Amino acid sequence: MKNAVGREIPQSIPGLNKIRPFQGAFAYQPTGRLAGPKTPVHVPGKEKLLKSLDQAIDATGLRDGMTISFHHHFRNGDYVMKMVMDAIARKGIKDLTITPSSLSAVQDCIIPYLEQGVITAIETTGIREQLGNLVSSGRLAKPAIIRTHGGRARAIESGETHIDVAFIGAPTCDTYGNINGVDGPSACGSLGYPMVDAAYADQVVAITDHLVPHPLYPISIPQTLVDFIVVVDKIGDPNGIATGSLRISNNPKELVISKYAAQVMEYSGYFQDNFSLQLGSGGASLSAAKFIKEKMHQQGIAASFGVGGITGVMVEMHEQGLIKKLIDVQTFDTPSIKSLKEHPLHVEISASFYANPHTRGPIVNNVDFVILSATEVDLDFNVNVLTGSNGKLMGAPGGHPDTAAGSKVAIIVLPLIRGRRPMIQDRVNTVVTPGETVDVIVTDYGVAVNPRRKDLLDHLRDSSLPIMEIEELQRIAYKMTGIPAPPPPTADEVVAVVEYRDGSIIDVIRKCK
Amino acid sequence: MKNAVGREIPQSIPGLNKIRPFQGAFAYQPTGRLAGPKTPVHVPGKEKLLKSLDQAIDATGLRDGMTISFHHHFRNGDYVMKMVMDAIARKGIKDLTITPSSLSAVQDCIIPYLEQGVITAIETTGIREQLGNLVSSGRLAKPAIIRTHGGRARAIESGETHIDVAFIGAPTCDTYGNINGVDGPSACGSLGYPMVDAAYADQVVAITDHLVPHPLYPISIPQTLVDFIVVVDKIGDPNGIATGSLRISNNPKELVISKYAAQVMEYSGYFQDNFSLQLGSGGASLSAAKFIKEKMHQQGIAASFGVGGITGVMVEMHEQGLIKKLIDVQTFDTPSIKSLKEHPLHVEISASFYANPHTRGPIVNNVDFVILSATEVDLDFNVNVLTGSNGKLMGAPGGHPDTAAGSKVAIIVLPLIRGRRPMIQDRVNTVVTPGETVDVIVTDYGVAVNPRRKDLLDHLRDSSLPIMEIEELQRIAYKMTGIPAPPPPTADEVVAVVEYRDGSIIDVIRKCK
């Protein structure tokens, strides 16, 4: 059967319980009730602090077939997943599902455990490098489930993903289990993702290299959710956790794109005092900030809030009074981590508050502008940020589909051509963000407005932007590159499903031949 | 059948589903899962702001037999319950259960709705005045359920109390439903109680007299939990919401008691740097602070945190560096409301974090000392804070049983004689806090240590305190008052049950003859 973005979705997929094809960004209106977390008890005086990770794993009763979770706030500096998986593997536990909030290159270290059957299923929001290749080649027993940040929170809160044990890397933890991410040698900033895991997991283990006296302040994850605490030497490598500051591009192509993106904002009809925005962490998105700042200064306006992954660029705008509040689910660089600790109006939120569609309204619903990058787009404005031109997993939906759906103006920035490949396809390899939620596509050669947004188009005609139909943009690209070769053939076997934020299947990824 | 404090608990009580007699403070270890909140959805752009309370009640689909909740942070200045009940009654809706976090004298205004059958059941943590009399005389269709603060959070989270609609008085609310209690003309400080209601109610209505642009900061109850917003003229009377500052007693009897209580702390063995404390809002408890401060200054120590209902006395100690952090479920007076807004280490918590026993450890588990008042105590160290000598409901368990159970040293302060009545009974009229969780009873004539706490007794012998057995204290009282008259006779009919924090029945209250 074909779903609402025209993708063929099998009626059943071995290893998955239910298949609900994508029917439109807001078509699915769930009823019923969320999961009920396990009823916990903790008698005063009982010690939560255990002697070792081994002891903690034993205390949780972890066994074959269970589901465990991790967070990715340590990015490429994460030591936690490896040390936990090593300890689990030593105990001979098998057939685990892991549901990390995302997977970075550093997590290639768990590949042996996939090969040995310690890990047989993965649910996550991003997968890259060798691990991406491995999953793409069908080496997992079950298809991977790729979710959005909001969709992962939804899956956990709805009970679709039931976490037996959450292992939470805790940059600072007090002796009764209160956790934050802003202090300690492995500070990572916001703990927005594991907030959700901690609230719903049957057992929660905090793993820290910075144990402090009770009570900690500030508290990101409270003692009422934490069962056990383990102290280890190091939970992460600060150099991998955060870069000094994310780069702003000097690439002339990116500068053109950034300038156009800023102009789209300016002329959209929504660029007024107290607008709100999210900037992705890509180069063009970040350098757009430079042009937006100029326009804000000129017009004497400030943003009510900036949300999302927070970067030094946004912190600087906050410090200059151009963004009144920073709302932070994930903190990308050292200046932002410092800001979250020091600035009272830089506040931490959970992934559910950020983007879960099955709440009374996540903050993405309040975003006016979001600037997002893309791997490729297509004539229906669908966006792929997950698979490469070789069909292999090498990216992350992250919050892309969430903010595109929530925001008033979702702007996709990408070069018209990368290498020798045109970036506007007839059909993207993998639909991650459906075209109905994408408003404007900005390239270095021109700007295409989604025909659904006639209002935007009318506004943008007042600008000097090179506005054209998306087919025209594609023709320009093809003139330079020729018609691209079709994507490599795949086998029938589904190796991963791409869940839209509401839990429906927006696309499937088949085994590379 | 008799429960663990020797009270006769009927095997069934008309109007109640389950009867589980109290078996000891930590005897009940629940298994299973907490309630799953309703799965909500809110599409971007949908308006939450409604035109009137009437429209909001219609929007929730409220109907006969449902359960609605309120919070009592406006204390005797609350306008919300009356305006909501008036609107509901006008619609002809009947047979509602109300589950306010507590009931103040001002709520006598709802008596007509009890008489008309609009309200047929009450679950709360305190009940007073005419409403107390009315319930005591058996005028409700079902027995009232009296809970502790932690027990109420537990009942809601476990699903024992299912809230169909939470009506939340919101001192400040933004246009998408984020709420706080520290700003606006009806600022009340912490919103610790309705935090729990909002997380579990099927529908949440915010009622505010101070609507502000999105996004609010700070946020106590997030937009992800709020369905509808209604703006009204006034949600409360500031003079009833908070007094200028709670009095510190000049009563010589209370001063003696306070001094003894401070000495108990000093010699307990727990009075050391980074101890933690809760002070009740009673006169003797508050004036104990004066003596504690002196001792802290003398010994050069500071408390790690003070928790509970926060008062100006604790704020002053915080400002002087004697209490490092204030952890606030309820803010009692104007200086404390100001402090919560201004002091970064004065932090707001939910009733569940405060005292819910069925979590991985509420903060009461971390309290070293709590000083609590009492209506009467008995030879088994049981405490009554709920019914008067006439057997009628006139008080509130509040957090009393919660902190007594959690803390290392629970100190009960009361005069040996009130009016002409001795305060140490053979058996208290109503057991609210079981003796096994009460460590020391301090009166103006002497101090009795619970024989279970031989460790404390050994320490306290080093002090100059007039330590004696509780029977001896009772004899001193009887010498002055004579043996008191027995409590007035009651009918068999149970008009209220007293739930211990774990949901078991610790006592029942029978109809006054």
Side-chain angles (χ1 to χ4, degrees), chain A residues 49 80 168-174 180 206-212 229-235:
Chain A
L49 195 59
V80 171
I168 299 181
T172 299
C173 184
D174 74 26
N180 80 36
I207 301 165
T208 192
D209 53 11
H210 192 228
L211 188 74
V212 299
I229 305 161
V230 178
V231 179
V232 299
D233 279 349
K234 279 198 82 54
I235 56 174

Side-chain angles (χ1 to χ4, degrees), chain B residues 149-315:
Chain B
H149 287 326
R152 180 176 185 272
R154 179 206 57 74
I156 293 169
E157 295 189 2
S158 70
E160 256 172 56
T161 289
H162 173 77
I163 301 172
D164 292 293
V165 186
F167 292 97
I168 299 181
T172 299
C173 185
D174 73 26
T175 50
Y176 208 61
N178 294 295
I179 296 171
N180 81 35
V182 293
D183 295 310
S186 306
C188 62
S190 174
L191 290 175
Y193 303 119
M195 282 183 186
V196 180
D197 304 28
Y200 281 82
D202 281 359
Q203 311 259 351
V204 176
V205 179
I207 301 165
T208 191
D209 53 12
H210 192 228
L211 188 74
V212 298
H214 181 275
L216 177 63
Y217 172 85
I219 294 170
S220 302
I221 295 173
Q223 63 184 44
T224 45
L225 298 177
V226 175
D227 292 283
F228 304 112
I229 306 161
V230 178
V231 179
V232 298
D233 278 349
K234 279 198 82 54
I235 55 174
D237 169 13
N239 295 319
I241 293 174
T243 52
S245 185
L246 292 179
R247 92 201 156 97
I248 294 217
S249 179
N250 288 317
N251 174 326
K253 218 191 251 189
E254 280 194 356
L255 285 178
V256 172
I257 296 170
S258 310
K259 202 170 169 177
Y260 287 165
Q263 273 182 282
V264 167
M265 286 176 59
E266 184 182 10
Y267 286 91
S268 65
Y270 296 95
F271 194 66
Q272 53 200 12
D273 200 30
N274 284 323
F275 77 89
S276 56
L277 84 162
Q278 172 164 345
L279 297 174
S281 55
S285 171
L286 287 179
S287 38
K290 178 172 165 281
F291 298 105
I292 297 165
K293 275 159 75 170
E294 285 169 14
K295 292 178 199 300
M296 291 171 78
H297 276 304
Q298 279 164 19
Q299 302 193 18
I301 64 176
S304 58
F305 70 90
V307 67
I310 298 295
T311 59
V313 173
M314 292 175 91
V315 169

Side-chain angles (χ1 to χ4, degrees), chain A residues 26 29-44 48 162 176 178 198 200-204 214-217 219 222-227 304-305 325 327 344-345 347 352-353 357-363 365-366 405-406, chain B residues 26 29-44 48 162 176 178 198 200-204 214-217 219 222-227 304-305 325 327 344-345 347 352-353 357-363 365-366 405-406:
Chain A
F26 295 99
Q29 301 279 309
T31 52
R33 312 198 76 81
L34 302 176
K38 187 173 170 179
T39 305
V41 194
H42 194 87
V43 172
K48 290 186 178 187
H162 174 77
Y176 208 61
N178 295 296
Y200 280 82
D202 282 359
Q203 311 259 349
V204 176
H214 182 275
L216 177 63
Y217 171 85
I219 294 171
Q223 63 183 42
T224 44
L225 298 177
V226 175
D227 293 283
S304 58
F305 70 89
K325 294 176 185 117
I327 296 180
L345 297 182
V347 297
S352 191
F353 185 93
H358 297 167
T359 64
R360 278 89 165 188
I363 192 101
N365 287 12
N366 307 102
Chain B
F26 295 98
Q29 301 279 307
T31 53
R33 311 198 77 82
L34 302 176
K38 186 173 172 179
T39 306
V41 194
H42 193 86
V43 172
K48 291 186 178 187
H162 173 77
Y176 208 61
N178 294 295
Y200 281 82
D202 281 359
Q203 311 259 351
V204 176
H214 181 275
L216 177 63
Y217 172 85
I219 294 170
Q223 63 184 44
T224 45
L225 298 177
V226 175
D227 292 283
S304 58
F305 70 90
K325 293 176 186 116
I327 296 180
L345 297 181
V347 296
S352 191
F353 184 93
H358 298 166
T359 64
R360 278 89 166 189
I363 192 99
N365 287 12
N366 307 101

